[in-house]
Amino acid sequence: GVCTSYIVQLDLARKTIVAGDAKRVLVTQSSACSRLMPEAEPFSPWFGDAGGASVLEAADEGFGLLATSFRTWGSLCRAFCATVPGGRWHDGGRVVAHNEDRAGAKRMQLQAADIGQEVIGDLLERTGIKKEEVKLFCSHQPAAWFPDVCRRHAGLERAHMFPSFGYTGNLSSVNIPMQVTTAMRERFLKRGDIVVMFALASGMMAAGAVLRWQ
């Protein structure tokens, strides 16, 4: 799941609560990407380390997590890897981030906005929410350009963002919960506000969620 993990966790937590198996669910994320970065590579400063935790409980009718949407493409599994170069992660030696399929890595980047448009469009169609109703867009942030390009391509120009890449780098699964936390601390979100989340992970997997803030 990598960078999509938070949305996957939200989906699992909601199902656990709805099934009556728990009243509250604690979900945690961690990113320790800096230890995977080969220092000589130009992309090594793009990644940061962080941790996050959220406590989730049942919301009022019509509030909370309204829908999730997921996609996966196994053909791009070698676009971005964390392994011992030339071997497997358990072969011995330092595990580092690298790509073993440069064409796949390029394709993954070029498809990002189109995938976001598809996933977000699916969420809004299923919930009957209009694009102009979205108050906050929380996006995965593998690069500075990524959130705004995905937001505009999905037609969410009116939605606000709290980009963090410029001062934290890519925080993997912590990207989205950090943006939600920032919105809370800024007292930006009010009851009834619509929040859309979108993340893309190497592998490749895409995940989206829409919620009505309680």
Side-chain angles (χ1 to χ4, degrees):
V2 198
C3 305
T4 62
S5 296
Y6 182 65
I7 297 175
V8 174
Q9 289 173 316
L10 289 183
D11 187 61
L12 291 172
R14 179 179 64 85
K15 289 171 180 174
T16 301
I17 292 169
V18 169
D21 293 332
K23 290 184 177 180
R24 294 183 181 86
V25 177
L26 171 68
V27 300
T28 64
Q29 310 78 42
S30 63
S31 168
C33 290
S34 67
R35 69 185 67 178
L36 298 175
M37 294 301 118
E39 292 82 0
E41 291 289 344
F43 62 77
S44 62
W46 298 355
F47 294 82
D49 297 339
S54 310
V55 176
L56 308 171
E57 62 183 11
D60 293 341
E61 184 70 27
F63 287 82
L65 188 61
L66 303 180
T68 52
S69 184
F70 302 99
R71 305 285 190 281
T72 186
W73 296 264
S75 62
L76 295 173
C77 65
R78 303 178 74 83
F80 193 75
C81 308
T83 62
V84 177
R88 297 160 296 187
W89 66 268
H90 53 80
D91 281 343
R94 185 187 173 193
V95 174
V96 296
H98 60 285
N99 75 60
E100 298 178 355
D101 178 6
R102 290 189 178 275
K106 183 177 180 181
R107 207 159 88 241
M108 189 166 67
Q109 293 284 333
L110 293 175
Q111 291 177 348
D114 289 336
I115 293 168
Q117 184 185 52
E118 178 185 335
V119 169
I120 293 166
D122 176 46
L123 290 168
L124 298 182
E125 181 179 353
R126 284 163 48 204
T127 56
I129 293 170
K130 297 178 181 178
K131 295 176 180 179
E132 57 268 24
E133 293 180 87
V134 178
K135 177 77 175 290
L136 177 65
F137 178 55
C138 294
S139 171
H140 174 48
Q141 301 196 29
W145 58 266
F146 188 93
D148 191 47
V149 168
C150 290
R151 177 183 64 161
R152 288 189 284 109
H153 195 56
L156 303 181
E157 292 92 341
R158 294 188 182 182
H160 192 76
M161 295 191 308
F162 287 98
S164 60
F165 181 86
Y167 58 94
T168 65
N170 179 3
L171 300 179
S172 187
S173 61
V174 190
N175 275 319
I176 291 178
M178 179 161 179
Q179 292 165 61
V180 174
T181 300
T182 303
M184 292 171 62
R185 287 177 175 169
E186 296 289 331
R187 302 182 183 276
F188 178 78
L189 290 170
K190 296 179 175 59
R191 182 178 171 87
D193 286 346
I194 300 296
V195 180
V196 167
M197 302 174 178
F198 171 65
L200 202 64
S202 57
M204 173 172 112
M205 184 176 179
V210 60
L211 59 90
R212 180 172 283 111
W213 194 256
Q214 180 169 317

